[in-house]
Each structure stands twice: as structure tokens, then as C-alpha cells.
Amino acid sequence: MQRLILMRHAEAERAAGSGRDRDRALSARGRVDATAMGRALAARGWRPDLALVSPAARTRQTWDLLHDAFGDVQIHDDEALFNGGADTLRGLVEEAGEEAGCLMVVAHNPGVHVLAMEYLISSAASPPVLDRMSGGFPPGAAAVFGVDASGRLALEAHLLPRDLGSE
């Protein structure tokens, strides 16, 4: 793996008709943000060849909107991604890392945020980078890490939907 993209699903409705958290759909704002994030990532040449996507409705819908910008991408969904913690996500990233040049994970907080922070700390990221990321990982945000030959990750970008403008 040469690149890892960690993304939190875009903004979701507060509740689902079923009452189940996993059935919550994207809000109108979430659909706009997911589409913009897909375009922003693709415009920078960051197109995954493998995506790990939580089976929750909001993550699947986020992926469907992202996918429009990426073209053909292999997708794996895994029940463990649904509200999985950082350790679970890390394990899935390590397992899939051999399969992809660019791996994308579309999942949930707090797991995505905690894992991004762990990668930043282990790569000795600068205090301003840590401060920005520690401020939160809002819906639709993505952290893009380059991976060197020894497997160390370095942050290339932390993209927030509000910063994308009309991309």
C-alpha cells in the first residue's frame, strides 16, 4: 500500500424510520459533501483501488457518491467496520494493505478519528497538524496518508467538507 485514505461517512439524518442506527440515511447536506469529497480526492489523483466500507446505510450511501468520481474500485464490506474501534480498523487496514496501492476506509467515529490520531502520533506529526486533527473529525472528513517503503504513514492532507468550496 502506498496510500491510505481514512474517511468518516458524510452527515446523516438524526434517526431512521426503523429506529436502528445502522439504517440512518445521509442528509441532503451529506449527499452534497460526499459528492464534493469524491471530486476533491479524484482531482488530486487520490483514487482507491480497494475500499473497505461499513455496511451501515450512511457509509454505503457515502461510498456510492464517492464512487462516481473514482470509477472502478473493488469494495469489501465487513461488519466489523460498523462502529469499529481504532484497533479493529487498524487490523482491517493491515489485512487489506497487501491488496491495494491506494486503500480507502469509509467508516465511523470515534474509530476513524482515533486511528488517524494514532497514525499522526506514530509518525511524529508536527504540533499544528496534531492540533488541527485533534479538533475533531467531522462527518465527511478525510485524512490522506502516504505510506513509505518501511510502512510508515505521513499525513498528506486532512480534507474537511466545509473547506472544499465548489470542488
Side-chain angles (χ1 to χ4, degrees):
M1 172 175 63
Q2 292 89 35
R3 182 165 288 115
L4 172 65
I5 303 169
L6 296 177
M7 183 173 173
R8 181 179 176 194
H9 62 79
E11 182 182 272
E13 297 290 344
R14 292 198 183 275
S18 69
R20 292 177 33 176
D21 178 54
R22 72 180 307 119
D23 294 338
R24 290 191 302 134
L26 290 183
S27 67
R29 176 63 193 219
R31 290 189 295 276
V32 169
D33 288 349
T35 300
M37 185 61 70
R39 287 183 187 142
L41 292 167
R44 290 163 173 82
W46 297 328
R47 295 179 180 184
D49 29 48
L50 175 61
L52 305 179
V53 181
S54 163
R58 59 194 178 274
T59 48
R60 292 304 305 231
Q61 291 170 346
T62 298
W63 172 251
D64 289 344
L65 293 164
L66 293 167
H67 182 259
D68 290 343
F70 299 143
D72 193 31
V73 177
Q74 183 181 4
I75 181 172
H76 291 194
D77 64 2
D78 189 312
E79 190 62 36
L81 288 165
F82 179 63
N83 289 328
D87 289 343
T88 298
L89 297 179
R90 182 188 296 269
L92 292 168
V93 165
E94 289 172 0
E95 286 175 26
E98 297 296 316
E99 296 179 52
C102 180
L103 174 65
M104 184 168 198
V105 177
V106 183
H108 310 267
N109 268 0
V112 170
H113 184 216
V114 171
L115 183 57
M117 290 299 296
E118 288 176 0
Y119 284 144
L120 288 173
I121 291 166
S122 69
S123 69
S126 69
V129 169
L130 288 169
D131 285 346
R132 178 180 164 131
M133 187 77 73
S134 67
F137 211 96
V144 182
F145 293 90
V147 183
D148 71 15
S150 61
R152 287 184 304 250
L153 280 74
L155 186 70
E156 294 180 342
H158 180 214
L159 303 175
L160 305 176
R162 69 174 180 251
D163 296 338
L164 297 180
S166 61
E167 287 190 49

